[in-house]
Amino acid sequence: PVIISFSDVCDSVEGLSLCYQYAGSLMRYKLFYQKDTPYTYTRYKAETLQLSYDRQKGLTDQIRAGKFREPCEILESYFASLHSSTDTRLEETKKIAVDLIDSILSSVSSDEYPVKDAVGSSEEIQNGIMSCETVHEVADRVIGIVRKASDYMQHELQSRKTDRVRDIKDWIESNYNRDISLNEIAQQMKLSTAYASRLIRESTGMSIPSYINAVRLEHAKLLLVSTNISCAEIGRK
């Protein structure tokens, strides 16, 4: 098949050799991968400089989980590769960074977790990135934004976990004096049995059956010291 490659447009005779070099790079890429597109060197570099889908997905998954170390390592490695590339230009890096942050925040934001609102407006983020004077500054700016997003998710997830633990404990306190099970608790809380059990174990160090028994014992102790009810009667309550 006929393979066509175009360089960037140049406006001087001196730039012809560079154009020839760019067209040659794109031609070798297309021959090696047996691809018809992209046609222009500019588009080729834009594609090769993008963070890969797999790495970006891994990054967003970690942010959703409220983790920062892994996203930071991915971004540091990515921007280090951009900085070391002789083809990287500052203005191009800024545009890549703006698109990358927009894609990341759009992926992790939802009605339940409005991450985009928590880290600042799109205009503020774009202006901050475009004001950077080096690739290192761009990297620091992007990593700072991702850190804010991770911190927000970590706080929200922990807050909701705390609320769920409190709800489970409150429900057990209200129902300890009858026969209750893990399945019933999970159903009442609209959680899986595994997750409900894990929440209580992380909070108390006990399984749900053990925690229920502990609550019953505490109430029995209270009745023993504060009433004249017999042990046998307390045991029946």
Side-chain angles (χ1 to χ4, degrees):
V2 176
I3 298 178
I4 301 174
S5 296
F6 295 97
S7 166
D8 293 333
V9 175
C10 70
D11 55 7
S12 66
V13 175
E14 291 77 12
L16 286 175
S17 61
L18 191 58
C19 288
Y20 181 81
Q21 176 185 330
Y22 286 168
S25 296
L26 177 55
M27 181 69 74
R28 286 189 294 274
Y29 167 81
K30 294 173 74 171
L31 286 170
F32 182 81
Y33 288 103
Q34 297 183 348
K35 296 180 68 174
D36 293 331
T37 57
Y39 292 112
T40 66
Y41 181 81
T42 299
R43 183 61 188 169
Y44 157 65
K45 291 311 299 178
E47 289 183 6
T48 57
L49 290 175
Q50 297 297 322
L51 186 65
S52 71
Y53 170 80
D54 288 341
R55 296 183 78 191
Q56 186 168 323
K57 184 179 184 304
L59 187 152
T60 53
D61 287 346
Q62 292 295 321
I63 295 174
R64 286 194 194 97
K67 298 179 180 179
F68 171 69
R69 179 182 297 176
E70 292 84 352
C72 179
E73 290 175 350
I74 290 172
L75 289 171
E76 285 178 346
S77 173
Y78 172 61
F79 279 101
S81 66
L82 285 184
H83 186 262
S84 63
S85 173
T86 56
D87 296 312
T88 301
R89 301 293 181 267
L90 177 58
E91 291 306 313
E92 186 177 36
T93 302
K94 291 178 183 179
K95 293 176 183 177
I96 290 171
V98 169
D99 290 342
L100 177 61
I101 280 295
D102 183 65
S103 177
I104 290 171
L105 295 181
S106 295
S107 296
V108 299
S109 291
S110 64
D111 292 337
E112 187 177 12
Y113 300 109
V115 180
K116 292 183 80 171
D117 296 338
V119 301
S121 69
S122 298
E123 184 178 359
E124 290 173 338
I125 291 172
Q126 181 171 340
N127 289 341
I129 292 174
M130 298 307 291
S131 67
C132 293
E133 297 182 357
T134 66
V135 173
H136 283 304
E137 284 186 31
V138 175
D140 289 343
R141 178 79 63 167
V142 170
I143 290 172
I145 294 167
V146 167
R147 172 133 208 177
K148 285 184 180 179
S150 297
D151 288 346
Y152 168 81
M153 285 301 303
Q154 184 181 62
H155 176 269
E156 288 297 305
L157 292 171
Q158 185 58 50
S159 177
R160 296 188 186 212
K161 183 183 289 188
T162 300
D163 290 344
R164 285 171 175 150
V165 170
R166 185 192 62 241
D167 290 343
I168 293 173
K169 289 181 176 180
D170 288 348
W171 192 88
I172 291 173
E173 282 285 341
S174 300
N175 295 274
Y176 75 92
N177 58 347
R178 65 179 183 83
D179 187 20
I180 56 178
S181 66
L182 172 57
N183 285 335
E184 184 181 3
I185 293 169
Q187 186 176 11
Q188 290 292 329
M189 297 295 111
K190 294 181 174 57
L191 303 171
S192 70
T193 54
Y195 186 54
S197 183
R198 186 167 73 249
L199 286 175
I200 290 299
R201 188 175 291 280
E202 289 177 355
S203 174
T204 66
M206 294 183 282
S207 66
I208 283 186
S210 296
Y211 180 73
I212 293 171
N213 287 334
V215 170
R216 287 169 176 162
L217 285 173
E218 286 301 315
H219 279 276
K221 290 177 185 177
L222 181 61
L223 289 174
L224 282 172
V225 300
S226 62
T227 70
N228 294 321
I229 301 175
S230 67
C231 291
E233 191 175 350
I234 289 173
R236 289 192 294 271
K237 286 185 175 294

